[in-house]
Structures are given as structure tokens and as C-alpha cells.
Amino acid sequence: MRKLLFFGLLAILISCKNKDINEGEEFRPRAVNDNFEDTHFTKIKVDGVEYILTERDNNNPHEGFGFMAFRANKLMEKQDTIISYIRALQHFQNKIYTRMYEISEDSGQVAFEAKLIEFLKQENKELEELEKEDLVNTSTKDTINDEEE
């Protein structure tokens, strides 16, 4: 009787193991084969640029997607306007600079372009240094743990 009870308890202990409650619910991405003709798109406008948004939820917390795009033609119009504005400012600043220092407009333009190249090189150098840096976690928690060791 004791052997039977022993084997019964042993069988129960072996069969009762902890399982992860999320077991079998791994994220499995799959191709989206939807027909977008009946999809609802939301259009919003920010600073004159039109954004198109849509979201699809398949009633599953692990499944769904979102999409956002902007119409580049409006953005390009704004970019062209900004570039034209900056060029106009540069032109009039060059005129003021040449009259202040009594130099020709051509030499003023050459001085401007030299200064522009200098600043562009400085910005490129800073960007290259950022790209070369190793990203290291320097949180205070890690620092405290290192000090204790």
C-alpha cells in the first residue's frame, strides 16, 4: 500500500509542472493580404502638410498594424519656400555687408561661401563623431552596482 501511495504521489508531482501562462501565444507575424479598398483613412493637416492615417485591429492583442504617410508635394512646396526665403535674406545681408565694409559684392559673396563651408565642415565633423561613439548604458543603477562590486 505504501509503494502504491508513493508511486501515486510521485506520478502527481511529475505531471504537475509550472507552465508559462503565455505559452503558445508567441508573436507570429504574417503577411497582410487585405483589400484596402474598404479601409477607412483618416486625414489630418499639420502646418499645411496632409497626413493620411489608418489602423487595423484584428481583435487580438498581438495582432494589428498602423500606417501613416504624408503628402510630400505640400512638404516640398514649404521646403522650396523656406530655401527661397533664406536665399533672399542672404542676398540682402550680403548687400549690407559689402556696403558696411566697402567691398565688392563678389568678394562679399566669396566671404559668405567660405564661412558657410567652414560651418558645414564643423557640423559634419560633429555628426561623424556622434556616429563613431559607442553607445553605452550609463544609468545610475549600473553605476551603483559597479561601485558595490
Side-chain angles (χ1 to χ4, degrees):
M1 184 68 165
R2 281 187 174 184
K3 287 182 181 179
L4 186 59
L5 184 58
F6 175 73
F7 285 118
L9 286 174
L10 186 61
I12 290 172
L13 288 174
I14 290 173
S15 66
C16 294
K17 69 176 189 177
N18 290 334
K19 292 184 179 180
D20 186 7
I21 59 171
N22 293 324
E23 188 176 325
E25 292 188 22
E26 297 90 24
F27 175 69
R28 292 185 206 108
R30 60 184 169 91
V32 177
N33 297 319
D34 287 339
N35 183 359
F36 287 97
E37 291 176 5
D38 60 341
T39 301
H40 172 71
F41 290 96
T42 304
K43 293 181 183 179
I44 61 171
K45 229 176 197 180
V46 178
D47 293 336
V49 178
E50 194 173 64
Y51 292 85
I52 302 169
L53 309 158
T54 188
E55 184 178 343
R56 177 71 54 95
D57 185 6
N58 294 335
N59 294 325
N60 182 343
H62 301 293
E63 197 174 304
F65 69 93
F67 170 79
M68 182 173 100
F70 64 90
R71 294 194 177 187
N73 57 346
K74 297 288 185 185
L75 191 64
M76 293 301 290
E77 287 174 15
K78 287 191 167 291
Q79 180 180 348
D80 292 344
T81 302
I82 292 169
I83 290 171
S84 299
Y85 183 73
I86 291 172
R87 285 186 180 159
L89 284 175
Q90 185 266 323
H91 173 76
F92 284 107
Q93 286 176 343
N94 189 35
K95 284 191 172 290
I96 293 168
Y97 177 76
T98 56
R99 287 201 179 149
M100 280 178 57
Y101 293 99
E102 298 175 357
I103 57 175
S104 70
E105 286 189 23
D106 289 338
S107 60
Q109 184 66 30
V110 168
F112 169 80
E113 289 172 3
K115 192 52 88 171
L116 176 66
I117 290 171
E118 177 187 333
F119 286 130
L120 283 174
K121 284 182 180 178
Q122 182 181 355
E123 290 299 319
N124 277 340
K125 181 181 174 188
E126 290 176 8
L127 285 173
E128 287 173 0
E129 288 174 5
L130 281 174
E131 289 176 355
K132 290 179 184 176
E133 284 184 11
D134 292 332
L135 299 177
V136 179
N137 185 0
T138 58
S139 67
T140 55
K141 183 178 180 182
D142 290 343
T143 308
I144 292 170
N145 288 340
D146 291 342
E147 290 174 358
E148 289 176 357
E149 293 175 359

